[in-house]
Amino acid sequence: MTLADLPKNTRVKIAALPDDEAIAAQLLEQGFALRTEVSLAHKAPFNGPLAFRLHNTKISLQRDIAAQIKVDA
């Protein structure tokens, strides 16, 4: 399962970041580290960005980036 497939308000832990090192580095700076707990807060309509709860804050990601982050189901 990836972050893009996550049902709303379901808590999971990040299992793998994207293979692209530049994208992975940017995600790490935002707090998307391995084993970090995350949940989906909002889905924008018309395939817009997804907002995730992470470390008591909300962070938006484009769906194609979220689809590259694997999580433990």
Side-chain angles (χ1 to χ4, degrees):
M1 176 184 275
T2 70
L3 281 183
D5 305 320
L6 196 62
K8 193 172 178 181
N9 296 323
T10 301
R11 291 181 176 195
V12 294
K13 291 188 177 182
I14 296 172
L17 294 174
D19 292 334
D20 185 310
E21 291 181 15
I23 294 172
Q26 185 176 21
L27 290 167
L28 283 170
E29 288 180 7
Q30 293 177 318
F32 287 89
L34 295 178
R35 311 303 306 156
T36 300
E37 191 171 279
V38 61
S39 65
L40 177 65
H42 301 286
K43 285 184 175 182
F46 307 111
N47 288 325
L50 305 170
F52 297 94
R53 286 187 195 91
L54 177 76
H55 301 296
N56 295 324
T57 190
K58 289 183 185 173
I59 299 175
S60 294
L61 293 178
Q62 294 296 322
R63 286 179 192 255
D64 62 328
I65 301 295
Q68 298 177 50
I69 302 172
K70 295 179 182 167
V71 296
D72 291 330

